[in-house]
Amino acid sequence: MTIKLRLTLATIVVFVVGVCGLSLDAMRLLRAELEQQVGNQQSSAAAFVAAYVESELAARIGVLQRIAEELPQGAVRRKDAFQGLLAARYDEWGVFSGGIALSAYDGRIVAEAPKVSGRVGRRFLELEHIHEALETGRTSVGVTKNDRVVGSPTVGTALPSRDERGQVVGALSGITELGVSGFMREVLGARYGETGGYLLVSPQAQMVIAASDPARVLEPLPEKGRIPLIDRFAEGYEGAGVLTNLKGVEELVAAKRVPTAGWYVVALQTSAEAFAPIREVQQRMLLASLAMVLAIGLAIRWVLSRVFAPLSETTTLITAMSSSEGNLRPLGENRQDEIGALVNSFNRLVRKIQSREHELEKSEAKFRSLFERNTCPMLLIDPLRGRFVGANEAAVAFYGYPKEQLVGMSTSDVLSLSPEDVFNEGVRAVRLESDAYYYVHR
């Protein structure tokens, strides 16, 4: 792997790690900011719906109060008169889909409208709204999971009925069926975004009593501790948060209480929809990062090619010089950087080698002159091969062989020494153990 490629890859890796780190941090901050904004919007929407539910309950309580104002004194004991009053005015008071009833202090129904078979004369003291109105003397709203007469869950609204002395002697109640009449459907039926909606929850009854999704009406709440945020809503917390529902889907939810009934309204939306803008930003950032990585990689490659071009050229020149045909010579690059320093060092080395070669050539010329022009016969012997490798003109004249023949002849052809003796004497001479040896010509 070349230095250019390694530097390019290292730079890209550092850039990618940096971009990923910044992207993750930016996405975290963006998600937190978006979660807060969506939570505020959901809280506002939940507050609006809660106010609407509160007004609907207030309207129903107002109807019961108007009926109570028209009740004759001792209406509990004069049930026939009350029954006639209810029957005559039921169209006006028909906001209660399950009817209106008057019960005695013991919870027994004494009159109702419209008449429902089997209700009059029966005790309904176990109903939350009737029991609380009789016991506390205050207006009460409650949910019945399974009304014995209607046969389905109902919402009951009750206020106490008093005698001439102001004593509670009964309760006037209105019943609204859940899942049939579309209780609060005008607002709760609306969707919140594509996947969200609203829930009206009764923590006392531990169930959803109205919802944008009809399939969730009468849905029981999860067991306590299963989803902590729902437990907080049931305890009175108003605010927004993120939870994972029983189906494993993450949702952004916000709750607002309905004080009159002790219920709360939930506005919810899946995180997938709420954070869709973040995913889009992430995808765009990913594409932009990939494009930047490609562009930076190409730019770095081009810059490094420019920076290392002199080094590549220097390497090519040095390689050519190292061949047998190349001439060792200084390089002409003049740079004020690391490559220039390398070239200058190489040029100094070349000049030193050239100086030594020049001195060697002078020494060889001097030796050649002394050898060739000497009047004494002189021979150059290769002790390893036992042959003559050089001879001057005096030696040629002395031995009587042509120079071309003498050079290359075996020492045993001229000298009386054996090849072993010639080798040994040569070794001694190389080791400077002897500067001369003697032999006899044949």
Side-chain angles (χ1 to χ4, degrees):
M1 186 181 293
T2 63
I3 295 178
K4 289 189 291 185
L5 182 57
R6 282 183 288 180
L7 286 175
T8 301
L9 293 178
T11 305
I12 290 176
V13 168
V14 171
F15 176 78
V16 169
V17 171
V19 169
C20 290
L22 291 175
S23 298
L24 290 176
D25 189 55
M27 290 301 104
R28 180 182 60 81
L29 294 176
L30 183 59
R31 179 186 171 98
E33 182 67 23
L34 186 60
E35 181 179 326
Q36 182 177 1
Q37 291 183 2
V38 173
N40 291 338
Q41 293 174 356
Q42 287 182 323
S43 295
S44 299
F48 172 79
V49 175
Y52 172 81
V53 173
E54 184 75 13
S55 67
E56 286 291 303
L57 292 177
R60 284 167 168 75
I61 293 173
V63 169
L64 292 179
Q65 289 174 341
R66 289 195 298 274
I67 295 175
E69 291 173 357
E70 296 187 25
L71 285 177
Q73 294 292 334
V76 172
R77 293 182 294 272
R78 299 169 58 190
K79 58 184 180 180
D80 293 338
F82 179 63
Q83 184 70 55
L85 174 65
L86 291 181
R89 305 285 298 277
Y90 181 70
D91 289 342
E92 179 183 346
W93 301 331
V95 293
F96 298 103
S97 60
I100 302 173
L102 179 65
S103 60
Y105 190 78
D106 60 359
R108 179 172 45 85
I109 301 297
V110 297
E112 66 173 347
K115 286 189 176 182
V116 178
S117 176
R119 177 177 286 178
V120 175
R122 297 178 63 180
R123 296 180 185 274
F124 289 87
L125 196 60
E126 78 280 2
L127 298 183
E128 179 185 353
H129 59 288
I130 294 179
H131 177 76
E132 186 173 345
L134 292 173
E135 288 294 320
T136 65
R138 296 193 301 267
T139 301
S140 174
V141 178
V143 177
T144 303
K145 293 183 178 180
N146 188 17
D147 190 291
R148 284 186 292 160
V149 177
V150 177
S152 63
T154 59
V155 173
T157 305
L159 55 82
S161 175
R162 303 178 185 274
D163 59 11
E164 296 84 352
R165 295 174 297 174
Q167 298 293 323
V168 176
V169 295
L172 180 63
S173 61
I175 305 298
T176 303
E177 297 177 68
L178 293 177
V180 176
S181 63
F183 179 61
M184 308 294 180
R185 192 67 182 170
E186 292 83 356
V187 172
L188 290 172
R191 306 291 298 183
Y192 190 90
E194 296 293 330
T195 60
Y198 300 94
L199 303 176
L200 180 59
V201 180
S202 170
Q204 301 90 339
Q206 286 290 297
M207 62 184 292
V208 177
I209 57 179
S212 301
D213 181 3
R216 300 197 64 174
V217 176
L218 310 182
E219 178 181 284
L221 296 181
E223 302 85 356
K224 186 175 179 62
R226 186 75 177 274
I227 303 179
L229 186 57
I230 292 182
D231 296 339
R232 293 182 65 193
F233 290 156
E235 293 168 358
Y237 171 70
E238 292 182 317
V242 179
L243 60 79
T244 301
N245 63 25
L246 297 179
K247 296 180 180 180
V249 179
E250 188 180 73
E251 296 176 327
L252 268 72
V253 298
K256 189 68 177 178
R257 296 191 63 77
V258 180
T260 297
W263 302 338
Y264 62 86
V265 173
V266 175
L268 58 88
Q269 186 179 32
T270 62
S271 297
E273 180 182 359
F275 296 135
I278 293 182
R279 289 199 305 274
E280 185 177 353
V281 171
Q282 285 178 324
Q283 293 173 355
R284 291 184 178 180
M285 288 186 66
L286 177 60
L287 293 176
S289 298
L290 291 176
M292 290 178 65
V293 167
L294 179 60
I296 289 177
L298 294 176
I300 292 174
R301 185 76 176 177
W302 179 80
V303 170
L304 291 179
S305 297
R306 299 274 297 182
V307 171
F308 284 101
L311 184 60
S312 300
E313 295 172 1
T314 301
T315 303
T316 302
L317 292 174
I318 294 174
T319 302
M321 292 179 193
S322 65
S323 64
S324 57
E325 297 81 6
N327 296 322
L328 194 62
R329 64 183 184 279
L331 301 174
E333 188 68 27
N334 184 18
R335 297 171 59 96
Q336 302 300 319
D337 56 14
E338 290 81 358
I339 297 177
L342 176 63
V343 171
N344 291 333
S345 298
F346 176 76
N347 289 342
R348 286 194 296 270
L349 179 61
V350 168
R351 293 188 185 97
K352 185 175 292 188
I353 293 173
Q354 287 177 336
S355 176
R356 291 181 179 179
E357 287 180 346
H358 181 65
E359 293 296 329
L360 181 60
E361 289 175 357
K362 288 172 61 177
S363 177
E364 286 181 350
K366 184 177 180 180
F367 172 78
R368 181 63 60 187
S369 177
L370 291 174
F371 181 78
E372 292 293 343
R373 297 179 183 180
N374 203 305
T375 57
C376 294
M378 300 181 73
L379 295 170
L380 293 176
I381 301 174
D382 183 354
L384 297 177
R385 296 187 301 165
R387 293 185 178 278
F388 300 116
V389 294
N392 63 0
E393 294 299 327
V396 171
F398 179 78
Y399 289 105
Y401 294 101
K403 187 174 184 177
E404 293 79 7
Q405 183 179 356
L406 181 59
V407 175
M409 290 179 62
S410 173
T411 55
S412 60
D413 294 337
V414 177
L415 307 177
S416 60
L417 294 176
S418 65
E420 292 77 9
D421 293 334
V422 173
F423 175 78
N424 291 333
E425 290 295 336
V427 170
R428 291 179 63 202
V430 170
R431 292 179 177 176
L432 300 179
E433 296 175 359
S434 173
D435 57 358
Y437 60 92
Y438 303 92
Y439 57 87
V440 179
H441 293 86
R442 289 186 181 279

